[in-house]
Amino acid sequence: MASNSDSIYNVLTYIHRHPQRVHFIAQRNSNVVSIGVPDTVPVANVELYFPTNRLVVNRLDDDFLAMHGDLLNDFFDRTQSSKLDYQDVWVTTGYVPRQHAYLVELSFE
């Protein structure tokens, strides 16, 4: 699945390492973090992972959570969730050409 790819991992790592270069989007939902990433950031297979004016939603599999838990915990800490932890993570991605940005949204369940 697209959500468990190296491409998604690489974009999440970019956001983690360069928070000043991305735009964190305010959310009403306490368990969600949304980020706008400049479209100048290189992404492999961009048409698959960030389709233009469309959204792709996938649940990160357990192996991805286990391998990248520290990275995901950093994003979870940016939510306003009253929960202490999460069991599932959903990733929504897309490309917004008018903003020249890739959208990355993580939902922690």
Side-chain angles (χ1 to χ4, degrees):
M1 295 210 98
S3 65
N4 300 301
S5 74
D6 289 339
S7 293
I8 296 300
Y9 170 75
N10 290 337
V11 171
L12 293 177
T13 300
Y14 177 87
I15 296 166
H16 176 74
R17 291 183 180 162
H18 306 287
Q20 71 282 4
R21 295 183 187 164
V22 301
H23 175 71
F24 287 89
I25 303 164
Q27 287 295 308
R28 289 189 224 179
N29 299 318
S30 64
N31 64 325
V32 174
V33 62
S34 296
I35 308 107
V37 179
D39 62 5
T40 55
V41 174
V43 176
N45 300 311
V46 69
E47 65 284 344
L48 177 63
Y49 301 107
F50 295 92
T52 302
N53 292 320
R54 290 188 19 239
L55 298 175
V56 176
V57 181
N58 285 294
R59 186 180 68 80
L60 297 175
D61 68 26
D62 291 339
D63 290 338
F64 192 97
L65 296 179
M67 289 176 60
H68 308 299
D70 289 341
L71 177 62
L72 293 170
N73 287 342
D74 177 63
F75 289 103
F76 181 69
D77 290 344
R78 292 178 177 273
T79 70
Q80 303 299 317
S81 180
S82 59
K83 294 181 179 180
L84 298 177
D85 62 2
Y86 55 90
Q87 299 298 312
D88 293 309
V89 179
W90 293 83
V91 61
T92 302
T93 55
Y95 177 58
V96 185
R98 290 190 334 172
Q99 300 293 321
H100 298 282
Y102 301 122
L103 171 69
V104 177
E105 183 174 272
L106 297 170
S107 175
F108 296 87
E109 304 293 329

